[in-house]
Amino acid sequence: GQQVMQIPQYQHVQEGEDFTTYCNSSTTLSNIQWYKQRPGGHPVFLIQLVKSGEVKKQKRLTFQFGEAKKNSSLHITATQTTDVGTYFCAGPDSNYQLIWGAGTKLIIKP
Amino acid sequence: SQTIHQWPATLVQPVGSPLSLECTVEGTSNPNLYWYRQAAGRGLQLLFYSVGIGQISSEVPQNLSASRPQDRQFILSSKKLLLSDSGFYLCAWRGQPSSEAFFGQGTRLTVV
């Protein structure tokens, strides 16, 4: 079946360093969504990308959707402690049900 | 505005006991409703989804069942809990096939 692979599983960074997580789908996606889950919390929607090659920015966060609409990335510039959490990507299957990546946990080194 | 309510926030249950988790959505009609489970430090596992009253799709065969008795109410149940049922249970809704998911606060279930 359709799969969405997300890497890395964890990323440890010093505060102020950059962070990137990548998603790859086994099939072309109509859109891709990104969510953030703070420790102990629930996933919260961040953004949706729809167009091939689309790039969107939210302050220090940059989201990209690949030209083939099969991959996507989230890049955070100069991480802060408030960025800590797990970032998930998700894309709809042929029945419009979301297929989720496994998530990338951002950990700030003390 | 739309809101989603899920309760209880935490639950400790003995093995073999029944379970009932409830989720309700306000401010929207005919939502797609979802139950997910998340093991500690892991991703989201879709358990059930529903596109309408009485319509339940099961993604993973297991010790759990779901029901949708009303348009905006989604219930997750078990007759006899297993230790492996422990986890963080999340209810979510989506309004349109291409729309984003909105999650409840989650229920942290520990089976002892």
Side-chain angles (χ1 to χ4, degrees), chain A residues 9-10 31 33 35 37 40-45 48 86 88 92 95-98 100-103 105, chain B residues 32 34 36 38 41-44 46 49 51 88 90 94 97-106 108:
Chain A
Q9 186 175 2
Y10 302 95
N31 67 75
Q33 301 172 7
Y35 295 76
Q37 183 178 23
H42 60 280
V44 174
F45 173 75
Q48 177 174 280
T86 301
F88 292 97
N95 294 318
Y96 302 104
Q97 302 307 322
L98 289 175
W100 293 82
K105 189 171 184 179
Chain B
N32 286 358
Y34 302 83
Y36 289 91
Q38 188 176 34
R42 304 295 295 275
L44 299 169
L46 178 62
Y49 71 91
V51 299
F88 190 42
L90 290 156
R94 296 170 70 202
S98 61
S99 72
E100 66 270 35
F102 298 93
F103 286 84
Q105 299 293 317
R108 203 162 301 277

Side-chain angles (χ1 to χ4, degrees), chain A residues 8 17-18 29-30 33 37 39 43 59 70 75 82 87-88 93 100 106:
Chain A
E17 292 182 339
D18 293 355
L29 299 170
S30 59
Q33 301 172 7
Q37 183 178 23
K59 297 183 180 178
K70 294 181 71 173
H75 180 82
T82 54
Y87 294 84
F88 292 97
D93 65 14
W100 293 82
L106 170 58

